[in-house]
Amino acid sequence: MKLLTNGKIYTEDTRKPWAEAVAIEGKNFVAVGTNEEVIQYAKFNTKEYEIVDLGGKTVLPGLIDGHNHPSLISKSSWVIYGPDTIDKDELFENIRKAAKKYPKEVLPYFVYNMYYAETFGAKGPRKEDLDALIPDRPARINDDSGHGCLYNSMALAMLKDENGIPHSVTPISGQTFFKDENGEYTGVAFQTFQSGDEGIFKALGWKPDLSMTEENSLDVFNVLRHYGDIGVMEAAVSSESDVAVISKLDKEGKLHLYFEITVLLDNCDDLEKTLAIARKWQKLYESEHVKIRTVKFFGDGSIEAGDVLSLVPFANDPEGKNCGSCNFEFEEMRDTLVRLNKERLDFHMHCICDGTLRRMLDAVDAAQKICGDDWCIKVTLAHLESVHPDDAKRFKELNVCADLTPHWFGEILPAKLLFLGEERNSQSYDFTQFLQDDICYGFSSDSTTPPEEVRMPLFLGMEIAMTGIEPGIGAAIPLDLGKYPNGRLPESGKFTLEQCIHAATWNNAKRMRILDKVGSIEVGKRACLVVLDKDIFTIPVNEIHTIDPVCTYFDGEEYHFPNPLKA
């Protein structure tokens, strides 16, 4: 038995919110209380026990990231990640330097991250821009939203089928290659995956290594584990081989994470195929910590790209008619939810804009009425950048969970302003109603590229949720405090620290159906916790993102995972 004593332990257990000590036997907590209570428990129940003096350090339950992409990050090492800039001339010079550093003999397909939509103004980028920079091979540059890109002419030609229509293999609905007023492809595309640009790979006779391995996933897993994560939902597994690697790591005792894998649904017409994949993966790959109980769907894209459904016309539409679109109709989503409920598979949807959200909540309402008392699946809507107040109230009525990405709350993106306008943009990320209604909301980091690992710790999201201020970590642009001295969130929409911890522990555990095991520090649950180097309850709020944990306990074992961000 191991006793952790002299700590400042925040338990997330409402019956006993604070403790000084815990006793751990095997994988579980067997006592939680004062130093005296826990030591007396040990003396009575065992002859041998070890005492670890926490020295007054603050302890939290192990954190859970409710929506992240470790498999995608692990397979992206072949992509070039350039310096962050909004200036077009500087962007172009950075691309030229990268092309020189990685000639076509080294990198036959040039893929570069990233550009901001506002860099190119209202007209947007064109393939001719990239042709001038990369004339010797197919090339693609990705935008900051992670949902859009620009191809050069050579890449676009390689992606075209016999009818002259370009395609990329992607698990996301709504793939679009845009044309100009003359009907010519501009090179701009939404919802394509660089790993799915099969036409280019076939034409080149070359393909990068797109396999997830124990080695290339080590850094991203260590970032999660070092910063106190003991659970994560993988929000977009693109291949069965990824699932096999994750499962193997757990079965060999190397994963150290409660891991929920989602199965991607391309569109509602493919539901039966998706269900078959889910059942196959469950049979072959589920393990003690790896579960496959959720179907993931991209309901829309990004506001910056305009491929979302808005309740009112976009501000940049002079005719006042364009409300955009989403990737499903009401009836097919209603029927999809009914079918998922029959199969007992939860549903997790990327849902950015208010029009998409309303249609989805209508579908949930209709599906629940059809299923009646048999309704039991959890529906989670992720990101929720724009929410109409009338629909915010419906989350509690329909028992729908919200997966929030607080890491985004403090940024002002000009491209988003173009579509929403100043007033609507100022209202985005306002979750006042959610806080008042006490709905089930969880926190996630939603990192998709290796450079975003620096923004992965949930402590950064907690700080931004409390302040509404982006401190400028990684590629993010610091919030202009001259214009927004109190942050970009209304005071009523700012989260308390306790609400942040609740979102990153209890609520995410509840949504992922592991609340019986983790999410709080209490007798009978798995001994998962994180020991902090600073007292999160007393340090200045704007320093929360600097927390660097001392160690993480997973299932009763103490781990000192290396921190790749400090390497």
Side-chain angles (χ1 to χ4, degrees), residues 54-66:
L54 293 172
K57 287 186 171 58
T58 300
V59 175
L60 300 179
L63 306 180
I64 301 167
D65 194 328

Side-chain angles (χ1 to χ4, degrees), residues 506-525:
W506 183 280
N507 277 352
N508 275 345
K510 178 181 178 181
R511 179 171 64 79
M512 289 168 58
R513 299 186 183 275
I514 52 176
L515 188 56
D516 60 321
K517 295 182 177 67
V518 294
S520 60
I521 296 173
E522 54 184 297
V523 172
K525 287 195 174 184

Side-chain angles (χ1 to χ4, degrees), residues 161-215:
D161 61 18
E162 62 275 10
N163 298 314
I165 300 173
H167 300 276
S168 177
V169 179
T170 172
I172 306 176
S173 299
Q175 180 178 134
T176 306
F177 287 82
F178 288 87
K179 297 181 178 181
D180 62 19
E181 60 276 6
N182 299 315
E184 295 292 324
Y185 287 107
T186 65
V188 175
F190 291 152
Q191 309 297 30
T192 67
F193 273 22
Q194 62 220 14
S195 59
D197 289 339
E198 292 292 345
I200 294 174
F201 300 142
K202 183 178 180 181
L204 292 173
W206 171 90
K207 192 172 186 177
D209 185 0
L210 300 175
S211 302
M212 181 185 187
T213 66
E214 179 179 344
E215 291 73 24

Side-chain angles (χ1 to χ4, degrees), residues 71-263:
S71 67
L72 184 61
I73 293 173
S74 68
K75 300 187 294 183
S76 300
S77 60
W78 66 284
V79 177
I80 301 167
Y81 297 94
D84 183 55
T85 181
I86 293 181
D87 182 80
K88 184 161 69 172
D89 292 337
E90 190 175 342
L91 171 67
F92 284 4
E93 182 57 27
N94 290 339
I95 293 174
R96 290 189 192 97
K97 289 179 179 178
K100 186 176 181 179
K101 183 177 180 180
Y102 301 97
K104 67 177 181 179
E105 293 78 16
V106 175
L107 194 61
Y109 181 26
F110 183 90
V111 179
Y112 183 94
N113 267 42
M114 63 177 188
Y115 71 90
Y116 288 94
E118 53 264 33
T119 296
F120 294 92
K123 184 180 178 182
R126 291 293 183 269
K127 61 181 182 293
E128 290 77 16
D129 296 322
L130 197 49
D131 290 343
L133 297 170
I134 314 290
D136 63 337
R137 56 186 141 160
R140 162 185 176 141
I141 57 175
N142 297 317
D143 75 2
D144 62 300
S145 75
H147 293 268
C149 73
L150 174 70
Y151 293 102
N152 70 356
S153 296
M154 192 181 299
L156 201 59
M158 291 178 176
L159 290 172
K160 290 180 179 178
D161 61 18
E162 62 275 10
N163 298 314
I165 300 173
H167 300 276
S168 177
V169 179
T170 172
I172 306 176
S173 299
Q175 180 178 134
T176 306
F177 287 82
F178 288 87
K179 297 181 178 181
D180 62 19
E181 60 276 6
N182 299 315
E184 295 292 324
Y185 287 107
T186 65
V188 175
F190 291 152
Q191 309 297 30
T192 67
F193 273 22
Q194 62 220 14
S195 59
D197 289 339
E198 292 292 345
I200 294 174
F201 300 142
K202 183 178 180 181
L204 292 173
W206 171 90
K207 192 172 186 177
D209 185 0
L210 300 175
S211 302
M212 181 185 187
T213 66
E214 179 179 344
E215 291 73 24
N216 66 23
S217 63
L218 184 61
D219 273 3
V220 63
F221 284 149
N222 275 342
V223 172
L224 290 167
R225 297 180 293 214
H226 175 83
Y227 282 94
D229 287 8
I230 55 86
V232 63
M233 173 172 278
E234 167 63 82
V237 174
S238 58
S239 71
E240 183 175 348
S241 62
D242 297 349
V243 183
V245 169
I246 295 165
S247 177
K248 182 172 182 287
L249 285 172
D250 188 48
K251 291 174 181 177
E252 293 177 352
K254 299 177 182 178
L255 186 61
H256 311 299
L257 288 164
Y258 285 85
F259 211 99
E260 176 71 23
I261 291 175
T262 63
V263 184

Side-chain angles (χ1 to χ4, degrees), residues 279 293-295 333-348 360 364 367-368 371-380 398-401 511 513:
R279 295 310 183 203
R293 300 176 289 201
T294 306
V295 169
M333 181 54 67
R334 175 201 62 203
D335 296 344
T336 294
L337 293 171
V338 170
R339 184 77 174 93
L340 288 173
N341 188 71
K342 183 178 180 180
E343 292 294 324
R344 300 306 195 246
L345 287 169
D346 293 333
F347 189 68
H348 187 97
M360 182 61 199
V364 173
Q368 289 181 351
C371 295
D373 292 340
D374 188 53
W375 178 264
C376 61
I377 63 171
K378 293 184 184 295
V379 174
T380 301
L398 298 173
N399 197 26
V400 170
C401 303
R511 179 171 64 79
R513 299 186 183 275

